[in-house]
Amino acid sequence: MDNRPVLFLDSGVGGLPYCYHFHRDNPGEALVYLADREYFPYGSRERPALIRRLTGLLNHLRREYKAKLGVLACNTASVSALQSLRDSFPDLPLVGTVPAVKPAVETSKKRHIGVLGTARTIHDPYIAELAARYGPDCALTAIAAPDLVDFVEHRYAAAGAEERLLAVLPYIEEFRRAGADAIVLGCTHFLFLLDTFRTAAGDMSIHDSVEGVSRRVEALLDQGNLRADPEAGGRTAILLVTGSGPLEPSWQERALAFGPSAMAGMLI
Ligand code: DGL
């Protein structure tokens, strides 16, 4: 039994749906969520800079919070830095977030998938490799959507359904024009817009990695005998935000919804 927290990390609020999902199925696990807003957006950063940043954050979080496992709840961080972080932290199990290319390829009837992510993610050779591995007969259209990342981070929580739909539609239309019929949400921020994507997509299918990431974390907890003691009680959930201030009140409410003792703080 191990009551140390599981750490989730993203450039901002994007990893929260991953954290919620894991928490829903594993309510006895303590959590630390870090929104690295000071360095947002990760999508426009160079790989070496991201590796340096994430190495520094993980060093700090390990020291302060003694995490037993880390989740890079961010596709950009995962494709850019996961391997390097695993090399630097060999005794910390790390789970990455990778665009759900495989289920999209398996679903696509037109043999054409779309991936929506940050520029850093979609231009990483790993994405083309994934597509070639799972669907060599499948075309790939990859679109960078920094505006949509920014929309979720700063405007989503206060936006209405119409505004959300308008934010998503241009991307759906671009994928449709290209001929794709299975769309991968390749940035964790877009999970907040899952229902909107489904509404806008009509008969195109939408794919994400939330379930897969949760199952992978659970498997590693089981393999390493790292599960929290269900009898221990007193689960904590801590929200950390880098930069000059806490999350906006609208986000704060959402973030706090999953933990009785969550707090916002400044770090580094
Ligand atoms: N949420 C992150 C991802 O999954 C990136 C957003 C950003 O550009 O910071 O890629």
Side-chain angles (χ1 to χ4, degrees):
M1 293 293 168
D2 189 331
N3 294 327
R4 292 175 299 158
V6 176
L7 165 71
F8 284 77
L9 196 154
D10 179 51
S11 59
V13 297
L16 284 172
Y18 287 72
C19 193
Y20 296 155
H21 194 90
F22 174 74
H23 169 67
R24 191 199 66 191
D25 296 345
N26 303 276
E29 296 292 340
L31 303 169
V32 173
Y33 183 94
L34 176 78
D36 188 16
R37 275 200 160 178
E38 188 178 45
Y39 215 59
F40 174 90
Y42 280 3
S44 58
R45 305 283 181 183
E46 295 299 328
R47 180 192 299 269
L50 270 179
I51 292 174
R52 269 197 308 278
R53 176 73 178 180
L54 291 161
T55 304
L57 289 174
L58 273 186
N59 264 321
H60 178 88
L61 292 164
R62 279 218 93 178
R63 206 171 45 243
E64 294 295 315
Y65 298 97
K66 316 272 182 270
K68 61 183 172 186
L69 184 147
V71 182
L72 295 186
C74 174
N75 295 265
T76 310
S78 302
V79 299
S80 309
L82 182 59
Q83 197 47 56
S84 171
L85 294 172
R86 282 188 173 140
D87 294 343
S88 301
F89 300 90
D91 54 346
L92 176 67
L94 287 173
V95 174
T97 309
V98 170
V101 167
K102 187 167 180 269
V105 162
E106 287 166 356
T107 308
S108 173
K109 290 193 177 56
K110 293 188 180 169
R111 308 313 293 147
H112 192 149
I113 67 162
V115 175
L116 193 64
T118 66
R120 179 100 269 293
T121 298
I122 66 157
H123 293 130
D124 196 284
Y126 186 61
I127 301 305
E129 274 166 40
L130 274 183
R133 189 188 317 157
Y134 293 119
D137 63 325
C138 226
L140 167 69
T141 296
I143 301 176
D147 296 356
L148 201 56
V149 175
D150 199 69
F151 173 79
V152 172
E153 187 69 30
H154 296 299
R155 300 202 302 279
Y156 167 88
E162 181 70 19
E163 205 179 332
R164 292 174 189 175
L165 191 60
L166 286 174
V168 159
L169 272 175
Y171 298 104
I172 291 293
E173 277 158 15
E174 200 171 334
F175 282 126
R176 200 184 296 284
R177 270 197 305 276
D181 66 347
I183 310 305
V184 181
L185 302 185
C187 169
T188 56
H189 278 74
F190 303 157
L191 263 295
F192 281 107
L193 292 163
L194 182 58
D195 290 343
T196 311
F197 269 105
R198 288 200 171 126
T199 304
D203 57 358
M204 300 158 98
S205 57
I206 303 292
H207 303 269
D208 68 69
S209 57
V210 172
E211 188 68 27
V213 167
S214 259
R215 295 295 90 86
R216 183 70 191 138
V217 176
E218 289 164 1
L220 289 181
L221 292 179
D222 288 336
Q223 279 164 28
N225 200 17
L226 295 170
R227 289 275 187 183
D229 178 359
E231 305 299 314
R235 172 184 63 79
T236 56
I238 297 174
L239 171 69
L240 301 165
V241 184
T242 62
S244 57
L247 296 180
E248 298 81 1
S250 47
W251 275 126
Q252 197 75 9
E253 279 164 32
R254 277 171 188 270
L256 299 195
F258 71 82
S261 61
M263 63 175 196
M266 279 172 51
L267 181 75
I268 299 182

